């Protein structure tokens, strides 16, 4: 009877103790979260319940497995112990990643709530995102190495690898030159403040918003919902336009090709009326001037401002549509025209190759 009750008591006790400890931890986090609503950290740490359960259960089972008295498991004791060790290492890495993500997300949320500078908030968001990815990558690599070193065969391999670490480093550096270049470029972007998540950029003639930045690639979401994925080394080695650098507010232009008789002064008054009725205009600046002339038309440029690139596009379209509508209704003569005139009657038609005046000379 003891051979049955003892393993059940040991294994069941480990599982029950795990559930009790995790429940107490979760209850404590709930109370702390209710007492400190100014920070979301304690609520976010509740996401660690599952990895905490797995890690505690694996640790308790690993420590008490020898006391279970399973005779059938004596032959496989080493294998079971190693399996529990692997589970414990993986669960611990999972727990560290979840806790680090909760801390980073909480810190960014508090900073974003108190920060007034949108550009600085985007910069911090980019940095904490890349830091979180670096921490995750390091934890995964360390956990994988620790799991491999639990195998006796891998310890010997590890010793020989350390002996030739210099040669392996050179070979790996040459083979992964592009990857390492993108990795360092990602760190340079994160802490050099070159481009941030949410910035409006123009790359290779495509206008869009930076949606995601990782250690190796950067994703730009274009205005028509396409995604352009580019290596981060592109942004450290080639010029690009960053419309959000130094502030999101922008100035745009609208061009009109009109007749020479267009009422420019009345167009200025009408432009001001249109902008005053447009809620997207930020009121910083506006103007309307004639910038060029041709034998048949003049070029009129309207200058408008807005708080960001998306709003500026709306303002430009509004000005263009309403100004053309007003010109068609009130000053149709100002629209460009092509002057034509009928040929006078009685004009002789010359034969091909005939010199002008030859007919009169024959007469």
């Amino acid at each position: 009877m003891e051979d049955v009750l003892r393993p059940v008591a040991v294994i069941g006790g480990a599982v029950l103790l795990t559930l009790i400890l995790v429940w107490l931890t979760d209850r404590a986090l709930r109370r702390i979260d209710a007492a400190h609503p100014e920070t979301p950290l304690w609520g976010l740490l509740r996401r660690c319940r599952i990895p905490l359960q797995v890690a505690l259960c694996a640790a308790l089972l690993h420590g008490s497995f020898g006391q279970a008295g399973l005779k059938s498991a004596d032959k496989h004791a080493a294998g079971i112990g190693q399996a529990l060790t692997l589970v414990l290492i993986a669960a611990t890495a999972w727990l560290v990643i979840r806790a680090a993500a909760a801390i980073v997300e909480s810190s960014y949320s508090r900073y974003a709530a108190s920060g007034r500078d949108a550009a600085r908030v985007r910069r911090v968001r980019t940095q904490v995102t890349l830091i979180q990815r670096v921490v995750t990558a390091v934890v995964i690599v360390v956990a994988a190495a620790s799991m491999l070193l639990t195998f006796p065969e891998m310890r010997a391999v590890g010793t020989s690898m350390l002996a030739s670490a210099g040669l392996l480093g050179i070979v790996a550096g040459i083979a992964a030159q592009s990857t390492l270049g993108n990795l360092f470029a990602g760190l340079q972007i994160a802490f050099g403040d070159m481009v941030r998540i949410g910035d409006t950029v123009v790359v290779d003639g495509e206008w869009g918003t930076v949606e995601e930045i990782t250690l190796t690639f950067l994703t730009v979401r274009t205005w028509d919902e396409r995604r352009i994925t580019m290596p981060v080394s592109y942004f450290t080695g080639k010029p690009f336009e960053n419309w959000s650098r130094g502030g999101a507010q922008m100035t745009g232009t609208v061009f009109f090709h009109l007749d020479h008789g267009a009422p420019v002064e009345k167009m200025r008054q009408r432009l001001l009326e249109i902008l005053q009725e447009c809620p997207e205009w930020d009121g910083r600046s506006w103007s309307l001037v004639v910038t060029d002339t041709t034998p048949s038309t003049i070029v009129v440029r309207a200058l408008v401002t807005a708080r960001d690139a998306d709003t500026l596009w709306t303002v430009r379209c509004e000005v263009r549509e309403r100004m053309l509508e007003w010109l068609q209704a009130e000053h149709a003569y100002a629209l460009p025209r092509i002057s034509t005139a009928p040929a006078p009657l009685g004009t002789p038609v010359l034969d091909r190759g005939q010199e002008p005046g030859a007919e009169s000379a024959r007469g």
Side-chain angles (χ1 to χ4, degrees), residues 14 17 38 51 78 134 154-155 160 172 193 230 259 278 280 285 313:
L17 182 59
E38 71 280 358
V134 171
M154 293 303 299
R155 294 177 183 175
S160 61
D193 197 24
M230 311 181 70
D259 188 80
C278 182
E280 288 80 10
S285 177
W313 174 264

Side-chain angles (χ1 to χ4, degrees), residues 103-180:
I103 294 173
V104 169
E105 186 174 347
S106 173
S107 302
Y108 171 72
S109 299
R110 294 186 63 182
Y111 185 84
S114 60
R116 298 181 179 179
D117 189 354
R120 188 176 295 274
V121 171
R122 291 198 303 271
R123 176 184 180 184
V124 172
R125 179 185 176 188
T126 303
Q127 292 177 350
V128 298
T129 300
L130 290 178
I131 290 174
Q132 181 179 346
R133 293 180 184 275
V134 171
V135 171
T136 301
V138 171
V139 171
I140 291 176
V141 170
V142 172
S146 301
M147 294 172 70
L148 290 176
L149 290 177
T150 59
F151 297 91
E153 297 82 0
M154 293 303 299
R155 294 177 183 175
V157 175
T159 303
S160 61
M161 289 177 62
L162 290 176
S164 58
L167 179 61
L168 289 176
I170 295 175
V171 173
I174 296 175
Q177 183 178 3
S178 177
T179 302
L180 292 176

Side-chain angles (χ1 to χ4, degrees), residues 17 40 51 65 88 93 105 117 143 188 266 290 326 336:
L17 182 59
F65 178 75
L88 178 60
E105 186 174 347
D117 189 354
Q188 183 178 353
K266 292 183 179 180
V290 178
W326 175 75

Side-chain angles (χ1 to χ4, degrees), residues 309-326:
D310 292 335
T311 309
L312 180 64
W313 174 264
T314 304
V315 175
R316 293 173 62 193
C317 293
E318 181 77 10
V319 168
R320 187 180 294 110
E321 292 176 4
R322 297 188 60 181
M323 184 66 76
L324 288 176
E325 182 181 357
W326 175 75

Side-chain angles (χ1 to χ4, degrees), residues 117-349:
D117 189 354
R120 188 176 295 274
V121 171
R122 291 198 303 271
R123 176 184 180 184
V124 172
R125 179 185 176 188
T126 303
Q127 292 177 350
V128 298
T129 300
L130 290 178
I131 290 174
Q132 181 179 346
R133 293 180 184 275
V134 171
V135 171
T136 301
V138 171
V139 171
I140 291 176
V141 170
V142 172
S146 301
M147 294 172 70
L148 290 176
L149 290 177
T150 59
F151 297 91
E153 297 82 0
M154 293 303 299
R155 294 177 183 175
V157 175
T159 303
S160 61
M161 289 177 62
L162 290 176
S164 58
L167 179 61
L168 289 176
I170 295 175
V171 173
I174 296 175
Q177 183 178 3
S178 177
T179 302
L180 292 176
N182 284 326
L183 176 63
F184 288 114
L187 296 176
Q188 183 178 353
I189 286 177
F191 298 97
D193 197 24
M194 300 173 59
V195 61
R196 299 155 295 200
I197 296 176
D199 282 2
T200 301
V201 297
V202 179
V203 290
D204 284 344
E206 294 285 351
W207 175 88
T209 303
V210 178
E211 187 176 53
E212 182 182 7
I213 299 178
T214 69
L215 292 176
T216 56
F217 68 89
L218 184 148
T219 303
V220 177
R221 178 173 54 86
T222 61
W223 64 273
D224 54 356
E225 302 299 331
R226 291 181 293 115
R227 266 70 176 180
I228 302 176
T229 302
M230 311 181 70
V232 292
S233 58
Y234 175 93
F235 293 86
T236 59
K238 296 182 180 180
F240 65 95
E241 296 183 27
N242 189 342
W243 291 3
S244 301
R245 183 80 176 180
Q249 59 189 17
M250 296 190 66
T251 301
T253 57
V254 180
F255 290 95
F256 299 95
H257 295 265
L258 304 174
D259 188 80
H260 287 83
V264 178
E265 188 59 36
K266 292 183 179 180
M267 289 181 64
R268 289 194 183 97
Q269 299 175 6
R270 181 56 182 168
L271 174 62
L272 180 58
E273 294 174 1
I274 294 174
L275 292 176
Q276 290 174 346
E277 297 172 0
C278 182
E280 288 80 10
W281 180 52
D282 61 359
R284 288 190 298 115
S285 177
W286 69 277
S287 69
L288 189 142
V289 295
V290 178
T291 58
D292 198 4
T293 61
T294 67
S296 58
T297 61
I298 61 173
V299 179
V300 179
R301 187 198 68 183
L303 186 144
V304 295
T305 59
R307 63 177 179 271
D308 54 41
D310 292 335
T311 309
L312 180 64
W313 174 264
T314 304
V315 175
R316 293 173 62 193
C317 293
E318 181 77 10
V319 168
R320 187 180 294 110
E321 292 176 4
R322 297 188 60 181
M323 184 66 76
L324 288 176
E325 182 181 357
W326 175 75
L327 288 173
Q328 290 175 355
E330 303 291 338
H331 305 280
Y333 63 89
L335 299 177
R337 294 166 293 176
I338 299 177
S339 300
T340 60
L345 298 177
T347 302
V349 179

